[in-house]
Amino acid sequence: MKFVKYHLTFILPMMAILLGIEFFLVFDRATDSYRTQLQEGYSMFVVAKKPLELKDFKRLNSHISQSEEVDKEALAIQISKGVNQTNSKEILKALPYFYNVKLDSYMSSSELRSIKEDLEESDTIRRVETFGSSYTDSYKLFNFIQFTLKVFLGFMGLISFFLIIKQMEIWKYLHRERMQVMEIFGASLMLRSGVLFKTAVIDAIIATFVTSGVFLALKYYWAQESRIDILIQKQNLLFQSTDFLILLGISLFIVIISVYFVVFSNKD
Amino acid sequence: MSSNFVINARNLTLSYGDKEIIRDASFSVKKGEFVFITGPSGSGKSTLLKSLYGQIEPTEGSLIVGGLEMGGISNGKLQELRTHLGIIFQDYKLINEWTVKKNVVLPLMIAGYSIDVQETQAERLLKHVRLSEHKERYPLELSGGEQQRVGVARALAKNPFLILADEPTGNLDEYSSNVIWDLMENACEQLKTTVLVVTHKIPSIFSNPYRHFIIESKGVYEVR
């Protein structure tokens, strides 16, 4: 029991940090994926007096990556229903040119406004519609959730880090006699702290495996059984093999920082 | 260590905060000598011993141990010096979670000797202190006398040029005490190791030549 408590008091706060980091990674990937989805499905609507090619658009703003002309004849047919053919041709002639314009990346509202201004500066372009509001509202919500998650995880990480430091101080106290004897016989600070490093590294590896296990279970069992479409479709975002290395790297980094913090902050 | 002196103190003052323990002491110890330091309780014997392995820095004056000035000594040099000292404590200061064998080879581990060398030395030392059959046991499974023999073996592990002992027989019965004195006399005689012992009373069985300092009224005086 004592042995389990000895290790759990380190493993649990470490897991809290790692779970937080993994949640953040998953949410970050989900946001990125949503952003790509938004960007791919988004296009501006441009009304021009003369026909324009992609290079003309690119000259006005370099973020424009594609332009597609809307079929004017189909539009003219709709408008000129019941009108004779001569008049229909006149309508077609009088109609401006319509384009769906795509961008090379996700743009904020202010960037969209700037692109609109660049396009409207051209004499050839009559009107630009960005549909900015519907485009950014959902993304802003995502960003807000991401921000609050970051604050919460940061706070949780800080508290967990202090718990880890506290636990290390307890370990240092438990091993103080051994460390004192080693010091008297000339052991360096690193060698004396070896026992702290060793225990912490083993516990950090255990915490990484357990955290990875939790997310793998979420990915392969819970996500499937939840029947939530978005989770099933984006299952690959839940845990990736590189995440294990990221978590392991971070946990070892925390071990190094906390051991140094404890060992150097109160040398006695 | 170019000088013939293993320890050389000149006008040495040792203090804890504002409280002076040793004042203006001058003495020296040569290679291969056996030295006793006696004095009443609280006279500063242990403080003087601690200053010799760098646990306390001189407040004033000069203290040279193994050619190194102890005042303002760097951490690196102090660690290096300590790896060449053998220290024996009244309360043994063994690591209870380690086996007897591992305790004995601690100075060799610190110095980075290979496992093979550690094994060979452990066998030799444990045979020397007559504890070979206990090598895989833990200190708390041994008697006080046996634990102190482990402490002596540990002190001898790296052939130190100086052995410092703080009341090494203070907790032992007469038989065990005699075994410990015998081991220390042997180290001095056969290995030419300098031995400095802080004790209340010089043992009557001691047969070899020795020097005797007494600490009195904060001063260190040679009486023999």
Side-chain angles (χ1 to χ4, degrees):
Chain A
M1 194 62 202
K2 213 171 161 187
F3 175 82
V4 173
K5 196 179 160 196
Y6 179 90
H7 288 281
L8 273 186
T9 39
F10 183 92
I11 291 173
L12 289 178
M14 179 63 93
M15 269 186 69
I17 294 179
L18 296 181
L19 283 169
I21 288 166
E22 186 54 31
F23 269 120
F24 177 74
L25 288 175
V26 169
F27 204 81
D28 200 43
R29 275 197 293 264
T31 315
D32 270 353
S33 155
Y34 185 68
R35 183 162 40 190
T36 312
Q37 234 176 353
L38 276 178
Q39 182 224 320
E40 281 169 359
Y42 173 78
S43 56
M44 283 179 159
F45 191 70
V46 175
V47 182
K49 291 176 197 163
K50 289 181 197 168
L52 290 169
E53 287 182 27
L54 179 61
K55 62 177 187 215
D56 301 317
F57 282 110
K58 274 188 176 290
R59 209 177 297 131
L60 294 169
N61 191 293
S62 59
H63 284 299
I64 294 169
S65 62
Q66 270 182 53
S67 68
E68 189 192 342
E69 191 178 349
V70 176
D71 187 5
K72 227 165 63 164
E73 280 181 35
L75 206 63
I77 291 166
Q78 287 286 321
I79 298 168
S80 58
K81 265 183 189 163
V83 179
N84 65 39
Q85 208 176 353
T86 321
N87 286 345
S88 168
K89 276 180 185 168
E90 284 301 312
I91 288 169
L92 183 64
K93 228 169 141 183
L95 274 176
Y97 296 87
F98 302 104
Y99 294 92
N100 280 322
V101 170
K102 285 190 178 286
L103 304 176
D104 60 357
S105 59
Y106 175 81
M107 299 287 162
S108 65
S109 307
S110 59
E111 284 169 324
L112 285 180
R113 262 198 308 278
S114 154
I115 294 171
K116 184 182 179 185
E117 280 165 14
D118 285 349
L119 292 174
E120 283 177 345
E121 266 178 24
S122 164
D123 296 334
T124 323
I125 291 173
R126 250 190 219 172
R127 189 178 163 81
V128 178
E129 184 51 63
T130 59
F131 310 109
S133 170
S134 58
Y135 173 59
T136 53
D137 277 358
S138 335
Y139 184 70
K140 273 181 183 164
L141 181 69
F142 246 80
N143 264 351
F144 175 72
I145 297 170
Q146 196 179 27
F147 172 74
T148 48
L149 189 72
K150 260 187 211 174
V151 172
F152 173 70
L153 294 179
F155 186 67
M156 202 173 78
L158 200 67
I159 289 174
S160 303
F161 182 71
F162 282 118
L163 285 175
I164 287 174
I165 297 272
K166 220 66 222 139
Q167 184 55 30
M168 287 238 171
E169 277 170 354
I170 292 170
W171 285 353
K172 192 183 169 192
Y173 179 76
L174 288 174
H175 296 294
R176 72 193 183 287
E177 280 183 14
R178 175 198 298 207
M179 290 167 81
Q180 275 167 6
V181 172
M182 291 178 85
E183 186 186 4
I184 288 168
F185 282 90
S188 65
L189 195 61
M190 286 300 293
L191 199 59
R192 302 201 296 270
S193 316
V195 60
L196 297 183
F197 259 117
K198 201 173 144 191
T199 319
V201 164
I202 291 170
D203 286 358
I205 291 171
I206 293 171
T208 307
F209 271 103
V210 176
T211 308
S212 303
V214 168
F215 272 86
L216 282 171
L218 278 178
K219 183 177 179 174
Y220 291 112
Y221 299 105
W222 187 79
Q224 284 292 339
E225 297 203 351
S226 68
R227 292 181 187 164
I228 302 170
D229 282 349
I230 193 164
L231 276 180
I232 296 166
Q233 284 159 13
K234 304 281 177 190
Q235 200 182 356
N236 65 317
L237 299 179
L238 277 175
F239 189 83
Q240 295 178 350
S241 49
T242 49
D243 289 7
F244 176 78
L245 296 176
I246 293 171
L247 295 180
L248 186 64
I250 289 172
S251 64
L252 294 179
F253 179 71
I254 292 169
V255 165
I256 292 167
I257 296 287
S258 44
V259 169
Y260 269 86
F261 193 82
V262 170
V263 170
F264 285 106
S265 63
N266 49 7
K267 282 196 274 181
D268 47 18
Chain B
M1 201 172 38
S2 53
S3 159
N4 197 26
F5 292 117
V6 171
I7 299 167
N8 197 359
R10 286 286 159 258
N11 308 108
L12 175 69
T13 298
L14 300 171
S15 319
Y16 282 119
D18 292 338
K19 195 183 173 200
E20 270 186 354
I21 310 293
I22 301 286
R23 187 195 299 149
D24 204 26
S26 296
F27 62 94
S28 53
V29 177
K30 284 185 191 162
K31 187 177 178 335
E33 286 184 325
F34 202 112
V35 178
F36 282 106
I37 296 178
T38 59
S41 292
S43 59
K45 303 187 296 290
S46 295
T47 303
L48 179 63
L49 195 91
K50 281 179 181 173
S51 73
L52 296 173
Y53 61 85
Q55 198 78 355
I56 295 166
E57 273 198 37
T59 319
E60 277 175 45
S62 158
L63 175 64
I64 296 171
V65 179
L68 290 172
E69 173 59 61
M70 300 304 282
I73 190 170
S74 68
N75 274 338
K77 281 191 173 167
L78 184 59
Q79 280 168 13
E80 172 67 17
L81 172 69
R82 284 176 172 180
T83 62
H84 296 291
L85 300 177
I87 308 171
I88 302 165
F89 299 92
Q90 182 178 8
D91 59 355
Y92 328 124
K93 290 210 189 302
L94 300 176
I95 297 171
N96 293 328
E97 309 88 68
W98 288 5
T99 61
V100 164
K101 188 167 80 178
K102 199 171 173 187
N103 267 286
V104 168
V105 296
L106 173 68
L108 302 173
M109 275 168 56
I110 290 169
Y113 281 82
S114 70
I115 301 287
D116 284 347
V117 174
Q118 289 180 32
E119 285 284 333
T120 317
Q121 279 287 81
E123 295 294 336
R124 186 184 66 79
L125 289 158
L126 287 170
K127 196 174 163 193
H128 181 65
V129 297
R130 284 168 281 160
L131 283 173
S132 296
E133 69 277 21
H134 297 313
K135 64 181 178 185
E136 297 303 336
R137 293 175 76 178
Y138 290 88
L140 294 179
E141 296 170 359
L142 305 180
S143 69
E146 287 168 334
Q147 288 189 53
Q148 193 57 298
R149 270 146 66 196
V150 177
V152 172
R154 180 179 64 185
L156 293 171
K158 221 182 141 244
N159 297 325
F161 69 89
L162 172 64
I163 291 177
L164 301 169
D166 189 2
E167 303 274 11
T169 58
N171 288 341
L172 305 181
D173 58 37
E174 200 182 340
Y175 171 77
S176 300
S177 299
N178 292 345
V179 174
I180 298 301
W181 291 125
D182 197 36
L183 286 168
M184 287 203 285
E185 269 191 281
N186 275 343
C188 183
E189 204 176 21
Q190 290 167 11
L191 306 171
K192 301 294 169 221
T193 306
T194 309
V195 180
L196 189 145
V197 183
V198 158
T199 184
H200 275 91
K201 194 169 156 251
I202 296 174
S204 53
I205 60 133
F206 211 80
S207 55
N208 281 7
Y210 62 88
R211 289 173 73 196
H212 179 197
F213 291 94
I214 188 162
I215 300 181
E216 215 171 53
S217 311
K218 299 180 184 175
V220 179
Y221 309 100
E222 184 161 12
V223 288
R224 176 178 160 145

